[in-house]
Amino acid sequence: MCGARSPACVSILAIRRRGKKRHVTQGEAPHPPRIARHLERLAADTLAPLGLDPGEFDVLASLLRAGPPHEVTPTVLNESLMMSAGGLTKRLGKLEERELITRRLSSGDRRNLLVTLTARGKDLATKAVLAHTKATAGIVDAIGPEAREQLSDLLRQLLTNFEGSPSAGEHESPQRSEEPALRGGDV
């Protein structure tokens, strides 16, 4: 089964996030954008019953992966989610209205804002990560263990080409929780 720690799941989620920003060049197979669209649809369909869209899920999952106290700066979220500051501010506002996150000034440096997952947000994020992981696992499991490992290796190589060394991707999630069911790259 494709667990949340599986490199294939992590890579598939990364393709889902990056796919819409990628352009097909002449002579290039259009498969990654098509796969990204399918994964976006899967994410939307999986998250809709929980009242989330994929963008909101990305924020909540990033905060969940940060580990207790599930708190990071907007800058860390911007880097992790690869989105504009304005887009993130709008998304955070919606999540704050729903009482899934809070924003406050850091006590250590009043110039810094901290975004924190509320208890309600943590519960919803946990449910969403588990539902998304299960849905993604269904796709990845369909290709069998040998193909899954091969896919994982190939996607890891592609990500390394985009992001540099294998450790370059570590900046994508602030701190990682050691809870296996809640880990998963940029879920």
Side-chain angles (χ1 to χ4, degrees), residues 39-54:
L39 292 171
E40 277 294 329
R41 181 79 267 150
L42 175 69
D45 292 348
T46 300
L47 299 169
L50 297 171
L52 291 173
D53 66 38

Side-chain angles (χ1 to χ4, degrees), residues 14-22 82 159 163 172:
I15 284 175
R16 179 183 63 79
R17 269 202 343 273
R18 291 185 181 90
K20 59 187 169 194
K21 294 185 178 187
R22 194 171 176 287
M82 297 176 14
L159 285 173
E163 298 172 351
E172 289 191 12

Side-chain angles (χ1 to χ4, degrees), residues 15 17 19-20 37 48 65 84 95 138 140 166 175 184 187:
I15 284 175
R17 269 202 343 273
K20 59 187 169 194
R37 283 193 299 274
R65 276 191 316 277
S84 71
L95 292 170
V140 176
Q175 294 174 312
V187 209

Side-chain angles (χ1 to χ4, degrees), residues 8-97:
C9 284
V10 171
S11 298
I12 283 176
L13 294 170
I15 284 175
R16 179 183 63 79
R17 269 202 343 273
R18 291 185 181 90
K20 59 187 169 194
K21 294 185 178 187
R22 194 171 176 287
H23 300 283
V24 177
T25 59
Q26 187 177 21
E28 180 182 10
H31 300 303
R34 287 177 53 208
I35 291 170
R37 283 193 299 274
H38 287 291
L39 292 171
E40 277 294 329
R41 181 79 267 150
L42 175 69
D45 292 348
T46 300
L47 299 169
L50 297 171
L52 291 173
D53 66 38
E56 293 167 332
F57 169 69
D58 285 343
V59 172
L60 296 178
S62 292
L63 289 166
L64 188 63
R65 276 191 316 277
H70 306 292
E71 182 175 80
V72 298
T73 65
T75 301
V76 169
L77 286 173
N78 276 6
E79 291 170 358
S80 170
L81 302 174
M82 297 176 14
M83 65 183 305
S84 71
L88 179 62
T89 298
K90 184 176 178 180
R91 193 170 288 167
L92 292 177
K94 288 180 180 181
L95 292 170
E96 191 170 36
E97 283 176 14

